[in-house]
Amino acid sequence: MSATKGGLVIFTANSNPSSRELGRRIAERLGVELGKVQVYQEANRETRVQIEESVRGKDVFIIQTVSKDVNTTIMELLIMVYACRTSCARNIIGVIPYFPYSKQCKMRKRGSIVSKLLASMMCKAGLTHLITMDLHQKEIQGFFNIPVDNLRASPFLLQYIQEEIPDYRNAVIVAKSPASAKRAQSFAERLRLGIAVIHGEAQDAESDLVDGRHSPPTVKNIGAIHPSLEIPLLIPKEKPPITVVGDVGGRIAIIVDDIIDDVDSFLAAAETLKERCYKSYNYLNVFLLTIVIKKNSKVT
């Protein structure tokens, strides 16, 4: 398909059928055709991109959704951006609904902040603007030295709750962990509903025990620093038994989160809510609401 409206060109990659479908719908809404580009993998699995029309002096939009093979998705995007840059495009705007590696935005012991690395790679490849949705942490915008539009899906989700959930006024917004309480509170305030938090679950990967902040060290090591210096032992944390903070009895529980990459924690949260309710001899409906469902989720 050939493609353009004035100085506008829209390209999509091939890593995911949803990317092409999204690109097709956007182009249809704008009254243009998708740009002509070949994106394929060689026999040795190297990604090759060939732009098949002039983009000189034009604004190029590259639409890329994340597939199960996230690393191939990233390489396709970077090579397409660089190909447009070397073809003298005026602006290169990446449209990435889900920003990959967004959960790795904090230092974990001797790990790395991968989302910052990815942001640097995108900027170095030639991206001049990024459009994404519901970043896992809004501070990720600071990793870029280009403009970032972090769009929100919450208005549509709030509308869905109000229109599709019968008797939503009898609902309660549930955070499956204290880490997601802020997001749940935002939904609860907009819907004028109560909030509940599940506390005491298994150690969460985003807790401060694994991000390098547990200093001084948990093992007492005196001689390593100075024979006369004693480092106090850090008292280990101990989470209480799983409990639900808030009233969920006889209500519709709406579990809110931004990403599902493993459904086990959500199933455990639903079971905890049901168990808590059954002990109180009440009835509970559990409704799961999420913004992004990754393709490698174990959803059946």
Side-chain angles (χ1 to χ4, degrees):
M1 291 180 291
S2 104
T4 57
K5 183 177 183 180
L8 170 67
V9 184
I10 300 175
F11 291 132
T12 64
N14 295 334
S15 64
N16 196 343
S18 64
S19 179
R20 296 190 293 273
E21 176 64 17
L22 177 60
R24 184 189 65 79
R25 294 193 179 190
I26 293 175
E28 185 178 278
R29 176 64 67 91
L30 293 174
V32 301
E33 294 183 350
L34 289 176
K36 292 188 293 185
V37 60
Q38 287 190 13
V39 183
Y40 59 94
Q41 290 186 336
E42 302 278 10
N44 60 359
R45 304 293 293 174
E46 290 183 357
T47 300
R48 183 176 291 273
V49 173
Q50 184 67 40
I51 307 294
E52 297 187 333
E53 63 180 82
S54 175
V55 296
R56 182 180 295 272
K58 296 181 179 179
D59 295 325
V60 178
F61 289 80
I62 300 176
I63 300 171
Q64 178 71 304
T65 58
V66 178
S67 66
K68 185 175 182 180
D69 190 356
V70 61
N71 295 323
T72 298
T73 299
I74 293 171
M75 285 307 301
E76 280 189 3
L77 175 65
L78 294 176
I79 296 173
M80 287 185 71
V81 169
Y82 189 67
C84 292
R85 176 186 176 186
T86 54
S87 298
C88 301
R90 180 173 61 180
N91 290 305
I92 306 170
I93 301 95
V95 181
I96 311 172
Y98 169 69
F99 187 76
Y101 288 99
S102 59
K103 279 194 170 183
Q104 299 188 48
C105 60
K106 296 180 181 179
M107 179 65 72
R108 311 293 185 197
K109 292 186 178 179
R110 295 180 179 86
S112 60
I113 306 176
V114 184
S115 57
K116 178 175 175 58
L117 170 64
L118 184 55
S120 300
M121 292 169 63
M122 289 182 178
C123 295
K124 189 68 175 178
L127 203 66
T128 61
H129 195 141
L130 175 67
I131 301 175
T132 186
M133 291 191 69
D134 291 295
L135 288 171
H136 185 60
Q137 297 288 343
K138 60 183 179 181
E139 291 79 9
I140 293 176
Q141 297 175 80
F143 296 158
F144 292 85
N145 55 15
I146 59 174
V148 177
D149 287 328
N150 182 28
L151 306 181
R152 297 293 184 184
S154 55
F156 302 97
L157 298 175
L158 294 170
Q159 181 182 4
Y160 179 86
I161 293 174
Q162 293 171 329
E163 295 179 355
E164 301 296 332
I165 300 181
D167 193 24
Y168 82 92
R169 289 292 183 185
N170 189 37
V172 59
I173 305 298
V174 179
K176 70 180 182 66
S177 67
S180 58
K182 186 176 180 180
R183 183 174 293 105
Q185 180 183 1
S186 176
F187 275 76
E189 290 176 349
R190 286 174 169 81
L191 292 169
R192 309 295 192 270
L193 299 176
I195 184 174
V197 179
I198 300 177
H199 178 58
E201 72 279 11
Q203 182 64 50
D204 189 85
E206 296 191 19
S207 69
D208 58 359
L209 281 179
V210 293
D211 66 1
R213 289 180 290 175
H214 56 297
S215 180
T218 56
V219 180
K220 193 172 183 179
N221 188 354
I222 302 174
I225 300 176
H226 194 275
S228 62
L229 179 63
E230 291 190 7
I231 299 177
L233 289 174
L234 181 67
I235 300 175
K237 290 184 178 181
E238 183 177 347
K239 286 198 172 185
I242 295 178
T243 184
V244 179
V245 180
D247 182 19
V248 297
R251 295 174 177 265
I252 302 171
I254 303 177
I255 305 175
V256 177
D257 211 339
D258 63 332
I259 299 174
I260 294 182
D261 52 4
D262 186 352
V263 300
D264 292 343
S265 60
F266 290 89
L267 294 177
E271 291 298 328
T272 299
L273 290 170
K274 289 182 178 180
E275 181 183 358
R276 169 70 177 268
C277 223
Y278 291 155
K279 286 182 179 179
S280 302
Y281 303 100
N282 289 316
Y283 176 72
L284 175 73
N285 286 325
V286 178
F287 182 83
L288 175 63
L289 180 65
T290 186
I291 295 170
V292 178
I293 300 180
K294 292 176 65 176
K295 291 299 181 181
N296 60 344
S297 300
K298 303 174 184 176
V299 180
T300 57

